[in-house]
């Protein structure tokens, strides 16, 4: 920071400091993502941000997260500057992380976010948190992203009226088990594979999303296991 008197503060007084889904005229794709973990619809301003939110839903290290959480405001060399992080998350270990979703090519062209990055990192440190760049090269890494998309789609096959029976059958399996054995225990039809994956999606079971999903996929007890 060139101005030693520069001080940052949160300008957040509303649910979202900035709602990108309501910004007309944007060339990127905006919309709402219905999060499982956040139990809410969250706005996004690009398909890359939507993919990032999807991954957070299935990241076992992330306890909770929100988008456009607050705006940092500071004065530097007599000029007011602003920054709104894309995501604020809390890990299961209690760490707070602010993330900015970026294309790797855009970050390479502007690695300091217009000279704001030192001040942003200093503000995060003052809050006992840290700042991260989350690049498309990591967000869109496969097979993790396609696996997460598949999990999100399978939530629709879970029905409240038979969920208890399904959970009872699954809990009788030896753990760790595998996807094929769990589906077979439910009846062995293709829909039963999706039911097991739906239980992964809601945290009853867990899998390694960095490996292809098939009959040999190892199942573990999830964060919400009864």
């Amino acid at each position: 920071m060139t101005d030693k008197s520069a001080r940052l503060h949160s300008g957040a007084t509303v649910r979202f400091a900035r709602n990108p889904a309501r910004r007309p005229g944007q060339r990127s794709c905006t919309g709402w993502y219905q999060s499982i973990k956040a139990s809410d619809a969250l706005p996004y301003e690009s398909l890359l941000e939507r993919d990032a939110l999807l991954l957070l839903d299935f990241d076992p290290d992330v306890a909770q997260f929100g988008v456009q959480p607050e705006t940092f405001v500071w004065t530097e060399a007599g000029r007011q500057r602003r920054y709104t992080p894309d995501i604020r998350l809390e890990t299961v270990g209690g760490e707070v992380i602010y993330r900015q979703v970026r294309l790797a090519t855009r970050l390479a062209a502007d690695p300091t976010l217009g000279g704001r990055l030192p001040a942003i990192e200093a503000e995060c440190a003052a809050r006992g948190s840290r700042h991260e760049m989350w690049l498309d090269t990591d967000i869109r890494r496969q097979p993790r992203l396609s696996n997460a998309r598949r999990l999100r789609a399978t939530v629709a096959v879970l029905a409240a009226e038979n969920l208890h029976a399904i959970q009872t059958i699954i809990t009788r399996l030896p753990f760790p088990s595998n996807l094929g054995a769990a589906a077979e225990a439910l009846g062995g039809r293709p829909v039963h594979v999706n039911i097991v994956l739906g239980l992964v999606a809601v945290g009853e079971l867990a899998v390694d999303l960095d490996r292809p999903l098939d009959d040999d996929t190892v199942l573990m007890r999830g964060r919400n296991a009864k």
Side-chain angles (χ1 to χ4, degrees), residues 73-84:
V73 183
W74 71 99
T75 300
E76 185 175 315
R79 175 188 173 192
Q80 187 179 80
R81 311 201 73 180
R82 304 172 66 87
Y83 173 74
T84 303

Side-chain angles (χ1 to χ4, degrees), residues 101-128:
V101 175
R102 267 290 194 273
L103 292 170
T105 52
R106 288 191 61 187
L107 184 63
D110 180 19
T112 66
L113 303 182
R116 297 175 297 166
L117 189 56
I120 293 166
E121 292 179 339
E123 169 65 4
C124 290
R127 295 161 179 253

Side-chain angles (χ1 to χ4, degrees), residues 28-43:
S28 56
C29 180
T30 64
W32 294 83
Y33 171 71
Q34 184 61 50
S35 168
I36 299 171
K37 189 176 289 183
S39 300
D40 204 355
L42 304 176

